[in-house]
């Protein structure tokens, strides 16, 4: 292959459009900052809590519909050992948004939090919260890495552009426009990116379905042709693993700061709910083209194409099946549109991860712990530096491993098994305290490491029921072990929180051993509740007296 010059020109135009939108949004951000009474940090991180409804829907959808989403669905559908039934992402994401809208948005908005770590700091204190922030920050850095890996692989296939150049250019563009205007730039560029994703992917579909080298996908859905049927099956022995993957995707996303950044930027709770519900529908629609790409690839006689044999799966290139299908099964100008869709998806997710991690560090670590007296101008610089550092860290990781799955798995795993049970307990269970949170945190980390992971070559020390060799000869847990670890971690938080509460409240241990001060906090909380109740009774009495006086005077 030679360098695809027309494709490079189209990509350059795309990047200039995104950068221009980011610059325009940064100007809008400065105008809003002059009108808004809130501080600059809140405007940068949450768009002044007044984001437009349509923009909010677009930016939440674009955050979830990333490069891993588009490439991962196509890969699972094409893979003869998996199939479309394992291309889970769109359906669990619907559950993510509905649960987030119905249950998690309300307590976060009512307390006017800036990040999802605020309730931890208020309840557990700075020391434990700092430890809990670490998995969230690592997950965001890995998010940046996996989005860049997906773009680098795609551009190298279609444009024949160096993998390194593809990653560096994309990283620099995303960092620049995120620096310029914070959430405003991210949100408004997401609008452009989501439109590009939608149009580009659906334009490719007719050309893929009518290419002469592939059979009708309705015939290959349930029949053995060039490979196993692309619909796939879930055997009874694999049901536990399928369920585990489903729950991982559905609940793991609820422990990402990027989700709450969109929820908290809405002007009202109702708007936040509408944003979640509408985004779930968009995710379903945007997942369909990737399924079709994988189905067409599974229905293709690759020997009749210029790609030839062995097939992409036999060459261990199933992860790049979307760009390969576009390159060899569609005209050149259509394949360039496809790479535009992938680039848009990658950029829309990367900027979200950059701002998410910058929010956690600047607000929860720098402002609340290191420099409580930091000025607004100082915080703006901290946010910018955080964006650059996370961007560089994520970019550096892409040169250590080129697997999208590895970065995706580790990042989502940490959110699901460690952060999700912690977030549920701190928001919905008053009994939870620092002791239970510490035990649950350690329990989640230790059990997850000991359970092993074949993708990174980590053998399991704990073998759950059904642990056996998979089709590729790797020792794999077919029991829903990640869900089990999550439940065990959640139960540990509640159990040890309850035990610690009894021990200190009953005086079984001296209060000087109470490092998390739970007895003092419970006493303060009870006093505050009593004061609130007294004030309420006083207000009601005053209102009744005023009504009586009015009636008497009449």
């Amino acid at each position: 292959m030679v360098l695809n010059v027309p494709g490079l020109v189209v990509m350059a135009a795309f990047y200039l459009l995104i950068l221009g939108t980011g610059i325009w949004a940064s100007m809008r951000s400065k105008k809003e900052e002059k009108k808004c009474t809130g501080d600059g940090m809140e405007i940068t991180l949450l768009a002044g809590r007044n984001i437009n409804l349509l923009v909010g829907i677009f930016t939440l959808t674009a955050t979830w519909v990333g490069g891993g989403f588009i490439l991962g669905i196509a890969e699972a559908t094409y893979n003869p050992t998996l199939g479309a039934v394992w291309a889970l992402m769109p359906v669990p994401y619907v559950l993510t948004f509905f649960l987030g809208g119905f249950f998690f948005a309300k307590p976060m908005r009512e307390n006017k939090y800036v990040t999802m770590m605020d309730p931890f700091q208020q309840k557990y204190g700075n020391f434990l919260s700092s430890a809990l922030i670490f998995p969230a920050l690592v997950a965001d850095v890995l998010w940046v890495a996996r989005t860049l890996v997906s773009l680098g692989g795609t551009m190298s296939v279609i444009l024949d552009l160096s993998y390194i150049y593809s990653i560096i250019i994309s990283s620099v563009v995303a960092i620049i426009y995120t620096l310029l205007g914070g959430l405003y730039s991210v949100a408004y560029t997401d609008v452009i990116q989501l439109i590009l994703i939608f149009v580009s992917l659906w334009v490719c579909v007719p050309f893929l379905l009518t290419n002469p080298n592939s059979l009708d996908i309705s015939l290959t859905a349930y029949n053995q042709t060039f490979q196993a049927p692309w619909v796939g099956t879930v055997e009874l022995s694999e049901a536990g693993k399928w369920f585990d993957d489903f729950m991982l995707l559905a609940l793991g996303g609820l422990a990402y700061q990027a989700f709450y950044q969109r929820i908290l930027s809405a002007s009202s709770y109702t708007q936040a709910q509408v944003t979640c519900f509408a985004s779930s529908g968009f995710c379903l629609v945007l997942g369909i083209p990737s399924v079709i790409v994988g189905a067409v690839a599974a229905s293709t006689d690759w020997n009749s194409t210029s790609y030839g044999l062995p097939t992409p799966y036999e060459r261990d290139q199933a992860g790049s099946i979307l760009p390969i299908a576009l390159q060899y099964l569609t005209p050149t100008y259509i394949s360039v549109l496809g790479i535009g869709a992938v680039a848009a998806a990658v950029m829309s997710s990367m900027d979200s991860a950059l701002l998410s991690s910058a929010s956690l560090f600047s607000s929860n670590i720098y402002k609340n712990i290191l420099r409580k007296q930091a000025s607004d101008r100082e915080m703006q610089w901290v946010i910018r530096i955080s964006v650059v550092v996370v961007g560089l860290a994520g970019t550096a990781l892409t040169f250590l491993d080129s697997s999208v799955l590895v970065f995706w798995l580790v990042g989502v795993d940490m959110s699901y098994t460690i952060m999700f049970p912690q977030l549920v307990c701190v928001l919905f269970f008053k009994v939870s305290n620092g002791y239970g949170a510490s035990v649950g945190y350690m329990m989640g980390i230790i059990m997850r490491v000991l359970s092993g992971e074949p993708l990174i070559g980590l053998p399991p020390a704990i073998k759950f029921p059904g642990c056996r060799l998979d089709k590729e000869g790797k020792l794999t847990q077919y029991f829903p072990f990640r869900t089990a670890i999550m439940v065990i971690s959640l139960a540990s938080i509640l159990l040890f929180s309850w035990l610690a509460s009894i021990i200190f409240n009953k005086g079984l241990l001296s209060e000087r051993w109470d490092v998390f001060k739970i007895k003092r906090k419970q006493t303060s909380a009870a006093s505050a509740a009593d004061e609130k109740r007294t004030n309420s009774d006083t207000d009601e009495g005053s209102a009744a007296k005023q009504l009586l006086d009015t009636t008497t005077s009449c």
Side-chain angles (χ1 to χ4, degrees):
M1 288 181 65
V2 294
L3 192 63
N4 188 338
V5 177
L8 283 176
V9 172
V10 171
M11 288 302 298
F14 162 74
Y15 279 152
L16 288 174
L17 174 63
I18 294 299
L19 196 56
T21 304
I23 293 171
W24 171 82
S26 69
M27 295 177 180
R28 177 185 172 90
S29 173
K30 291 177 182 177
K31 290 180 181 179
E32 291 294 327
E33 190 171 349
K34 292 178 181 178
K35 294 188 296 182
C36 187
T37 56
D39 60 26
M41 189 172 76
E42 189 169 283
I43 293 173
T44 301
L45 300 181
L46 299 177
R49 299 186 191 269
N50 193 34
I51 200 77
N52 178 275
L53 174 61
L54 187 60
V55 174
I57 293 170
F58 272 69
T59 187
L60 181 58
T61 305
T63 299
W64 257 245
V65 181
F69 179 93
I70 292 175
L71 295 176
I73 292 174
E75 176 185 356
T77 304
Y78 165 71
N79 193 320
T81 66
L82 298 175
V85 293
W86 291 88
L88 293 168
M89 282 179 253
V91 179
Y93 287 172
V94 173
L95 184 58
T96 299
F97 292 139
F98 270 81
L99 289 175
F102 276 121
F103 299 105
F104 288 82
K106 188 174 182 178
M108 296 294 287
R109 288 195 56 80
E110 283 182 344
N111 292 284
K112 295 184 179 179
Y113 294 133
V114 176
T115 76
M116 74 171 190
M117 297 307 300
D118 287 353
F120 292 97
Q121 281 193 313
Q122 291 184 12
K123 192 167 188 177
Y124 300 155
N126 291 333
F127 178 76
L128 180 56
S129 297
S130 300
L132 291 171
I133 288 172
F134 179 73
L137 288 174
V138 171
D140 281 335
V141 173
L142 293 176
W143 189 347
V144 172
R146 73 173 181 262
T147 53
L148 287 174
V149 165
S150 61
L151 180 60
T154 304
M155 292 178 74
S156 63
V157 169
I158 294 181
L159 302 181
D160 198 32
L161 182 65
S162 168
Y163 175 83
I164 295 176
Y165 292 153
S166 303
I167 286 177
I168 292 176
I169 294 170
S170 304
S171 177
V172 168
V173 171
I175 289 173
I176 289 174
Y177 72 72
T178 305
L179 281 175
L180 290 173
L183 187 58
Y184 271 112
S185 289
V186 169
Y188 281 95
T189 52
D190 279 348
V191 173
I192 303 297
Q193 288 157 351
L194 196 65
I195 293 173
L196 285 170
I197 294 169
F198 182 84
V199 173
S200 301
L201 286 177
W202 279 105
V203 165
C204 295
V205 166
F207 291 91
L208 285 165
L209 292 174
T210 56
N211 89 86
N213 302 306
S214 305
L215 299 176
D216 187 337
I217 62 173
S218 63
L219 299 176
T220 59
Y222 298 99
N223 299 300
Q224 178 83 27
T225 50
F226 301 111
Q227 63 176 56
W230 60 264
V231 169
T233 58
V234 179
E235 302 293 340
L236 184 61
S237 59
E238 299 174 325
K241 189 175 186 301
W242 186 93
F243 174 77
D244 205 29
D245 289 347
F246 185 96
M247 297 304 293
L248 176 77
L249 289 168
L251 302 182
L254 290 170
Y256 270 109
Q257 162 63 13
F259 175 76
Y260 296 102
Q261 200 145 28
R262 273 76 189 157
I263 295 300
L264 294 170
S265 67
S267 59
S268 66
Y269 172 56
T270 302
Q271 181 179 322
Q273 282 193 312
V274 173
T275 300
C276 289
F277 302 154
S279 297
S280 66
F282 276 110
C283 281
L284 284 176
V285 173
L286 288 166
I288 296 173
S290 290
V291 173
I292 293 174
V293 171
V296 169
S299 310
T300 298
D301 178 10
W302 289 100
N303 195 35
S304 65
T305 69
S306 56
Y307 184 86
L309 292 177
T311 65
Y313 176 74
E314 291 168 337
R315 297 188 195 184
D316 199 25
Q317 293 183 331
S320 300
I321 194 60
L322 188 143
I324 290 173
L326 293 175
Q327 175 70 13
Y328 293 96
L329 303 179
T330 66
T332 303
Y333 61 93
I334 295 298
S335 66
V336 171
L337 283 177
I339 184 63
V342 177
V346 167
M347 302 285 274
S348 64
S349 290
M350 180 180 172
D351 55 23
S352 299
L354 289 174
L355 195 61
S356 170
S357 52
S359 302
L360 294 175
F361 177 79
S362 60
S363 178
N364 297 108
I365 296 179
Y366 193 86
K367 178 70 173 177
N368 292 350
I369 300 176
L370 300 179
R371 285 268 297 171
K372 293 182 180 181
Q373 74 278 19
S375 66
D376 191 54
R377 181 178 177 82
E378 183 179 343
M379 290 309 304
Q380 293 295 321
W381 278 105
V382 172
I383 294 170
R384 294 187 184 107
I385 293 171
S386 301
V387 167
V388 174
V389 171
V390 172
L392 293 177
T395 304
L397 284 175
T398 61
F399 302 118
L400 298 179
D401 199 301
S402 60
S403 171
V404 178
L405 277 176
V406 169
F407 293 124
W408 171 82
L409 180 83
V410 177
V412 180
D413 249 6
M414 293 180 74
S415 296
Y416 182 49
T417 58
I418 299 172
M419 291 306 301
F420 177 72
Q422 296 283 352
L423 191 62
V424 169
C425 289
V426 78
L427 289 179
F428 303 109
F429 293 93
K430 290 183 179 179
V431 72
S432 65
N433 55 49
Y435 300 100
S438 301
V439 174
Y441 181 68
M442 296 305 299
M443 189 78 73
I445 292 176
I446 292 170
M447 288 197 67
R448 184 61 192 93
V449 171
L450 293 180
S451 298
E453 180 48 58
L455 279 178
I456 58 175
L458 183 65
I462 300 175
K463 295 182 180 179
F464 290 85
C467 182
R468 62 183 186 276
L469 295 176
D470 62 10
K471 296 175 183 177
E472 297 178 351
K474 297 177 180 178
L475 195 60
T476 304
Q477 307 271 16
Y478 282 88
F479 184 81
F481 72 103
R482 288 172 296 200
T483 301
I485 293 171
M486 183 274 291
V487 173
I488 291 171
S489 177
L490 191 149
S492 300
I493 296 170
L494 298 178
L495 175 61
F496 284 92
S497 292
W498 176 70
L499 289 175
S501 181
I502 289 178
I503 289 172
F504 289 109
N505 287 331
K506 298 289 186 181
L508 301 179
L509 268 181
S510 172
E511 193 173 334
R512 63 192 179 90
W513 293 99
D514 186 8
V515 293
F516 288 111
K517 313 297 181 187
I518 60 171
K519 185 175 181 179
R520 187 181 305 171
K521 289 178 181 178
Q522 288 172 352
T523 303
S524 301
S527 300
D530 289 340
E531 184 179 350
K532 184 178 180 180
R533 193 160 44 246
T534 302
N535 291 338
S536 177
D537 292 341
T538 303
D539 292 341
E540 289 177 4
S542 299
K545 184 177 183 301
Q546 185 177 3
L547 179 62
L548 182 61
D549 292 342
T550 304
T551 305
T552 303
S553 64
C554 290

